[in-house]
Amino acid sequence: MKKKTTSSSKSGITSVLQEGRVFSPPESFAKEARIKSLSKYRKLYRESINEPERFWDREAREELVWFKEWRKVLQWKAPYAKWFVGGQLNVSYNCLDRHLGTPTANKAAIIWEGEPAEPGKPGEERTLTYHQLHRQVCQFANVLKRNGVSKGDRVIIYLPMVPEAAIAMLACARIGAIHSVVFGGFSAQSVAERIHDCQAKMVITADGGFRRGEVVALKEKVDEALELEDTNGTTLAGSVEKVIVLQRTASDVEMQSGRDVWWHEELRQVDTSCPAEKMDSEAPLYILYTSGSTGKPKGILHTTGGYLLGVKMTTKYVFDIRDDDVYWCTADVGWVTGHSYVVYGPLANGATTLMYEGAPNFPEPDRFWQIVDKYSVTIMYTAPTAIRAFMKWGDQWPKRHDLSSLRLLGTVGEPINPEAWMWYYEVIGGKRCPIVDTWWQTETGAIMISPLPGTTPTKPGSATLPFFGVVPEVVDEDGKPVPKNTGGKLIIKQPWPSMLRGIWGDPERYKQTYWSEVKGCYFTGDGCRQDEDGYFWVVGRIDDVLNVSGHRIGTAEVESALVSHSKVAEAAVVGRPDEVKGQALVAFVTVKGGADPTPKLREELRSHVAKEIGPMAKPDDIRFAEALPKTRSGKIMRRLLKEIASGEEVKGDTTTLEDFTVIAKLQGEED
Ligand code: PRX
């Protein structure tokens, strides 16, 4: 490990490139950690990539409980992988039943903290032991069966951050139904499109959810989703037969007889015994929709054995999880981080996972630190965008609370700028907690590049080195490896157990999106460089996908939402750097003849996008333009728009631009 002189970094994410500080794990941490030395990591890593079948065969035996052994560890016919072929297991069994009859049975599986009603009032709290969680999952699995759900059926889960979200996921897994969790911030339109795409038979929702003191009307949105029609007048969500409604806010909701049933009433009809189905290792576990570079989200498919092994092992080694940890991943279960590191990874390890229902700054900006203090949280895993917001709100908020229980910090979702890393390290971690900056994606299922906290020296802004079995490489346009410290595209060269198995219903798009850049290799869509120590520095997306506050948003999706408005002729959406959100959305819009580009229309368009997709996709800026810069062949020149949106001088190649006056006009458009 070469140690460079410490450079004081400038503000902004680009300062990652100048970062040279190195932090070794504190000795006290390293002494206790599972992997204590880089040489041990390197030995295991080498085995995992040189003899993957041997490595994964051993790990799968050690880590998981199988009902039936596999015939073959890996069957790889690019781009399709099958792991533990012929093996049988159940995810819910591995997360729950296996802990019964052990001391873990009476340990807290989920600690849940609700949103406080008002300042000064404590939030509601609930704790479910493994024993209790098992019982509730079995009961709810029987409710699913009673309502016509069986193996292979798709179930949409559209719930707030309450334990029932985890219960619903585990109950689906128990009976072999495929869940698709939809984040509660998505609109009725987005819910309907997802139902349509996977032909879901059931929706599990709540009368409402609490968010910053307001009620989010989830059931109302489901009702609206179930009524929506496509352009031919066909009901989009016609496949839904039943809606199960959890009572959370006691809001008035309409219950359609024959279709809608109450969660609590259904529970009275069932018993608590429900054996776990023996599932094929390759049986689908869940579909999770994520943005891509077209207008339509992709249904990323994950299966059973490989996925569970991936999340179990990464939770064990990256978070170095121990029996007495109180582990808190702040992600919502609607995102992949919530799937892998709120629910499946921690529970498979018999850990205590904390779930929080509300926002980080409600009722006050110290909400997170109050929770850390209250429950003596030991491991915290959150997003750089949250860290940057905390920095902005000021040190006085964390300083009000005792954070000395923390022993490890993690980040995920976007590149972390060194300033935010240092703040997290010093103010939250008190300089004693290692930071694991974990790079991965919805598609990868589990963490791919990350420090191991007991051994990997960290550099602020780098996700450092690959996890076992992961072979990343940075390549150029032709797919050839680039020299160290040169930017390029990040690819993964070998299959790994928790990899996606496809895009639901769209094998062509799966091949095109991920497997057509470099033959036989997985293309991540991210730009990256590797430094002289072999550390990976992921800089962000290089496709038409933006990362806004750690959420992936496809520019094409926002564009198609904008042009669906009656007054919009054309729209182009690009990102510009934002201090807190990482990237902000800027939309360039031309209006139809007769329409006035007024501030009122701007607000109307923002609300329209919120209605079509969800509030998180609202453009931060909408700039009206007379025309968009296009090449002579009619392609919108996004690169130019990006430069204009970021306030940079337009310096790119404009030789193919059709009308030069367009740029001058766009630059003149300021408000
Ligand atoms: O661009 C990378 C960024 O987030 C993308 C994946 O987004 P999503 O599928 O929504 O999953 C987020 C949670 C796993 C990646 O393509 N990303 C994620 N983690 C990091 C990151 N960029 C830099 N550093 C990270 N640690």
Side-chain angles (χ1 to χ4, degrees):
M1 178 72 39
K2 288 180 208 125
K3 197 163 181 162
K4 288 205 281 181
T5 48
T6 302
S7 69
S8 71
S9 37
K10 296 177 196 111
S11 67
I13 287 164
T14 46
S15 61
V16 166
L17 297 172
Q18 286 100 49
E19 181 56 46
R21 286 168 286 200
V22 179
F23 293 82
S24 290
E27 233 173 74
S28 56
F29 195 101
K31 240 192 323 200
E32 307 266 312
R34 281 199 177 82
I35 308 252
K36 297 180 177 49
S37 68
L38 268 180
S39 60
K40 179 159 182 213
Y41 155 72
R42 289 199 198 283
K43 185 165 170 266
L44 278 167
Y45 178 72
R46 267 197 304 275
E47 186 202 348
S48 75
I49 63 165
N50 295 336
E51 295 176 90
E53 303 213 11
R54 190 177 110 157
F55 178 88
W56 291 115
D57 184 88
R58 183 185 66 229
E59 296 299 324
R61 267 172 225 283
E62 252 171 48
E63 299 292 347
L64 304 180
V65 181
W66 296 81
F67 297 136
K68 189 173 159 216
E69 209 174 285
W70 50 92
R71 294 190 305 276
K72 198 165 168 26
V73 174
L74 169 65
Q75 185 183 307
W76 175 229
K77 285 193 197 128
Y80 294 103
K82 286 187 177 167
W83 285 89
F84 311 109
V85 185
Q88 286 185 337
L89 75 167
N90 184 288
V91 166
S92 140
Y93 188 95
N94 272 277
C95 289
L96 303 168
D97 305 55
R98 76 170 301 177
H99 306 305
L100 304 181
T102 76
T104 309
N106 293 314
K107 160 182 177 177
I110 297 178
I111 296 178
W112 176 76
E113 170 83 12
E115 210 192 65
E118 52 190 83
K121 285 239 173 92
E124 251 181 278
E125 58 178 70
R126 265 166 78 190
T127 300
L128 289 169
T129 63
Y130 273 90
H131 180 79
Q132 290 168 320
L133 183 61
H134 173 260
R135 189 183 159 88
Q136 295 206 17
V137 167
C138 288
Q139 262 185 308
F140 192 66
N142 284 333
V143 169
L144 293 178
K145 284 194 209 164
R146 200 180 115 76
N147 283 279
V149 177
S150 46
K151 220 179 194 170
D153 287 342
R154 273 80 61 205
V155 173
I156 296 280
I157 300 177
Y158 187 56
L159 284 171
M161 271 296 277
V162 288
E164 282 77 6
I167 292 169
M169 291 162 77
L170 289 159
C172 285
R174 192 158 190 92
I175 65 169
I178 307 166
H179 61 69
S180 184
V181 184
V182 179
F183 172 59
F186 276 113
S187 65
Q189 179 73 32
S190 299
V191 173
E193 282 165 8
R194 284 155 173 74
I195 293 172
H196 177 76
D197 190 77
C198 69
Q199 291 294 295
K201 206 169 179 183
M202 174 182 276
V203 178
I204 303 171
T205 190
D207 54 355
F210 292 114
R211 187 80 184 167
R212 292 200 166 89
E214 306 268 321
V215 171
V216 184
L218 295 169
K219 171 64 165 67
E220 219 175 275
K221 282 202 264 177
V222 170
D223 291 342
E224 199 188 323
L226 297 184
E227 294 293 312
L228 287 171
E229 293 177 350
D230 65 12
T231 44
N232 304 320
T234 314
T235 311
L236 267 175
S239 56
V240 171
E241 292 169 13
K242 285 279 168 113
V243 179
I244 300 187
V245 187
L246 175 78
Q247 199 168 43
R248 168 74 192 120
T249 54
S251 318
D252 263 346
V253 291
E254 262 178 49
M255 297 291 281
Q256 193 181 102
S257 145
R259 187 193 73 185
D260 304 349
V261 293
W262 286 107
W263 180 304
H264 60 277
E265 286 179 4
E266 286 299 298
L267 284 185
R268 287 187 210 126
Q269 311 296 326
V270 294
D271 64 27
T272 55
S273 123
C274 176
E277 282 284 329
K278 294 189 169 71
M279 300 303 294
D280 192 272
S281 174
E282 279 301 328
L285 174 65
Y286 68 80
I287 303 165
L288 187 58
Y289 286 86
T290 187
S291 292
S293 47
T294 74
K296 192 172 172 266
K298 304 173 282 198
I300 303 300
L301 176 67
H302 282 291
T303 59
T304 303
Y307 173 79
L308 192 63
L309 183 59
V311 297
K312 175 153 193 216
M313 279 185 68
T314 45
T315 307
K316 178 169 163 181
Y317 290 106
V318 174
F319 299 113
D320 203 53
I321 205 124
R322 288 198 222 140
D323 231 10
D324 55 356
D325 273 318
V326 177
Y327 160 91
W328 183 21
C329 166
T330 67
D332 191 284
V333 288
W335 311 111
V336 75
T337 310
H339 285 59
S340 300
Y341 299 108
V342 174
V343 180
Y344 293 123
L347 296 179
N349 279 287
T352 296
T353 178
L354 194 143
M355 278 174 95
Y356 169 53
E357 181 182 33
N361 57 348
F362 184 83
E364 302 257 40
D366 65 341
R367 188 61 179 129
F368 270 25
W369 319 121
Q370 200 185 27
I371 294 174
V372 169
D373 192 350
K374 176 174 173 185
Y375 296 103
S376 294
V377 170
T378 56
I379 303 174
M380 182 166 182
Y381 189 33
T382 195
T385 190
I387 298 168
R388 291 192 292 264
F390 293 133
M391 280 172 81
K392 206 170 96 182
W393 296 332
D395 294 7
Q396 70 276 20
W397 298 104
K399 292 234 156 87
R400 280 190 190 177
H401 300 278
D402 179 3
L403 307 182
S404 61
S405 55
L406 288 169
R407 66 179 195 94
L408 175 64
L409 302 173
T411 74
V412 59
E414 49 182 322
I416 182 162
N417 47 314
E419 300 67 31
W421 197 101
M422 287 308 300
W423 184 86
Y424 199 30
Y425 182 72
E426 286 170 359
V427 180
I428 304 305
K431 297 188 186 166
R432 69 180 184 276
C433 307
I435 295 183
V436 288
D437 172 357
T438 62
W439 177 87
W440 60 294
Q441 310 177 297
T442 305
E443 291 87 341
T444 69
I447 293 167
M448 301 286 277
I449 304 179
S450 168
L452 295 182
T455 172
T456 317
T458 48
K459 302 182 189 184
S462 171
T464 76
L465 300 170
F467 190 70
F468 306 134
V470 177
V471 189
E473 191 165 82
V474 184
V475 299
D476 64 15
E477 286 301 318
D478 302 322
K480 303 262 171 343
V482 297
K484 291 275 159 69
N485 279 317
T486 311
K489 301 173 180 181
L490 181 65
I491 61 164
I492 311 291
K493 293 176 72 179
Q494 286 186 16
W496 65 100
S498 65
M499 67 193 278
L500 77 166
R501 300 298 197 267
I503 295 177
W504 187 259
D506 202 346
E508 243 347 276
R509 192 175 178 194
Y510 171 66
K511 285 186 211 154
Q512 264 306 317
T513 312
Y514 304 110
W515 304 94
S516 62
E517 286 277 333
V518 183
K519 201 170 180 303
C521 297
Y522 169 82
F523 174 53
T524 64
D526 278 350
C528 188
R529 77 181 166 95
Q530 216 181 346
D531 71 13
E532 59 284 0
D533 294 315
Y535 277 33
F536 289 87
W537 299 75
V538 177
V539 287
R541 307 287 312 187
I542 47 178
D543 51 9
D544 290 327
V545 174
L546 303 180
N547 195 325
V548 179
S549 301
H551 300 316
R552 227 207 255 195
I553 297 178
T555 51
E557 261 176 82
V558 184
E559 285 164 6
S560 81
L562 284 166
V563 295
S564 72
H565 189 279
S566 59
K567 291 182 182 155
V568 173
E570 274 191 310
V573 173
V574 295
R576 71 159 152 73
D578 182 275
E579 259 192 28
V580 174
K581 296 169 149 193
Q583 282 189 299
L585 286 169
V586 182
F588 291 87
V589 169
T590 61
V591 293
K592 284 187 182 158
D596 278 336
T598 56
K600 189 165 159 264
L601 179 61
R602 192 172 276 141
E603 270 323 296
E604 202 176 304
L605 293 181
R606 295 184 78 235
S607 313
H608 181 70
V609 174
K611 188 163 174 289
E612 289 290 306
I613 306 174
M616 64 282 187
K618 270 189 190 177
D620 297 271
D621 280 352
I622 293 184
R623 297 208 191 174
F624 291 116
E626 279 175 31
L628 299 178
K630 288 192 187 152
T631 61
R632 282 181 215 124
S633 60
K635 244 182 115 195
I636 294 175
M637 297 178 85
R638 297 174 166 281
R639 184 178 37 78
L640 292 188
L641 289 176
K642 239 189 253 178
E643 288 168 357
I644 294 166
S646 313
E648 291 169 25
E649 202 185 313
V650 173
K651 50 189 178 308
D653 181 10
T654 53
T655 46
T656 54
L657 183 67
E658 198 191 35
D659 176 3
F660 282 95
T661 58
V662 167
I663 299 185
K665 283 186 192 149
L666 286 171
Q667 283 174 316
E669 166 71 38
E670 273 313 321
D671 55 333

